[in-house]
Amino acid sequence: MNLKAERGAATRDQLLAIATRLFAEHGYEGTSIEAVLQESGLSRGALYHHYAGKDALFEAVLEATEAAIMARIVQAVEGIGEPAEMLKAGTLAWVRLAGDPVIQRIVLIDAPSVIGWERWRALEERYSFGMIKGALEATGAIPAAYLDLHAHMLLAAINESALLVARGRDQATAEAAMEEFLRRLLSQG
């Protein structure tokens, strides 16, 4: 990589780190481009060279946050051979991650309204749906004709549990409810 490309990547990383913290602390509406510029020490032109505006910066933060979530979920299921246990471990990892204030604010609270519900759902499907569908299929508990529908329903249930945690409800209760839901779903066959 040449020096110019390295500097560009370093600038993007710096902007993402600052914007992630500001969006998590103040929300999308409470974070201004001026605050990002002030903390980064960059010019407006430098920021706009990398991101077209606040919306684009937020989307980049959201993408990076989603990628980090998926990496942590993959790590949580590593070494688990039984598909049902893998599904359970991955699901519970996501519900636990929903307790993280950065994830709560950026992914669960602001993202649906900032990028729109349809785009948010498409992003969730890109990061989560395939993994959930594959795990459900591997369990053999769901007939092939219902696999897509059940995967969508499970994704919705998982996200609703995560939203309950994000809204300040009892995380232990949300985890226990999700664990029971998965036990019942996978035992029906």
Side-chain angles (χ1 to χ4, degrees), residues 6-160:
E6 286 177 20
R7 276 189 262 175
T11 299
R12 278 190 302 282
D13 290 347
Q14 176 191 15
L15 286 168
L16 281 178
I18 290 168
T20 298
R21 186 179 51 73
L22 291 174
F23 286 136
E25 289 175 4
H26 306 289
Y28 178 82
E29 291 300 324
T31 299
S32 67
I33 287 294
E34 286 71 26
V36 175
L37 293 174
Q38 184 177 3
E39 286 209 27
S40 68
L42 295 171
S43 69
R44 188 174 297 277
L47 183 138
Y48 288 130
H49 173 73
H50 296 286
Y51 303 102
K54 184 175 162 181
D55 289 352
L57 181 58
F58 181 83
E59 284 192 49
V61 165
L62 177 59
E63 283 277 347
T65 304
E66 287 280 8
I69 289 167
M70 285 309 298
R72 289 176 65 187
I73 291 172
V74 166
Q75 186 178 34
V77 302
E78 235 173 348
I80 300 174
E82 166 61 33
E85 289 302 312
M86 183 184 295
L87 181 62
K88 183 173 134 184
T91 298
L92 294 177
W94 168 229
V95 172
R96 289 181 189 115
L97 287 169
D100 181 315
V102 173
I103 292 169
Q104 286 178 8
R105 187 60 186 234
I106 292 169
V107 176
L108 297 171
I109 297 170
D110 282 351
S113 62
V114 173
I115 68 171
W117 187 86
E118 285 184 17
R119 286 181 64 206
W120 178 72
R121 279 289 287 141
L123 187 68
E124 287 294 298
E125 286 186 24
R126 189 171 81 230
Y127 279 98
S128 306
F129 182 74
M131 184 180 276
I132 291 169
K133 183 178 174 182
L136 274 177
E137 185 174 33
T139 67
I142 308 297
Y146 298 114
L147 193 57
D148 269 6
L149 180 61
H150 279 117
H152 279 286
M153 291 168 38
L154 182 54
L155 177 60
I158 292 166
N159 281 337
E160 187 60 28

Side-chain angles (χ1 to χ4, degrees), residues 169-187:
R169 302 258 168 53
D170 181 10
Q171 185 163 357
T173 300
E175 287 179 30
M178 182 53 68
E179 209 166 344
E180 177 64 13
F181 172 77
L182 288 170
R183 185 188 65 71
R184 289 174 181 267
L185 174 72
L186 298 174
S187 69

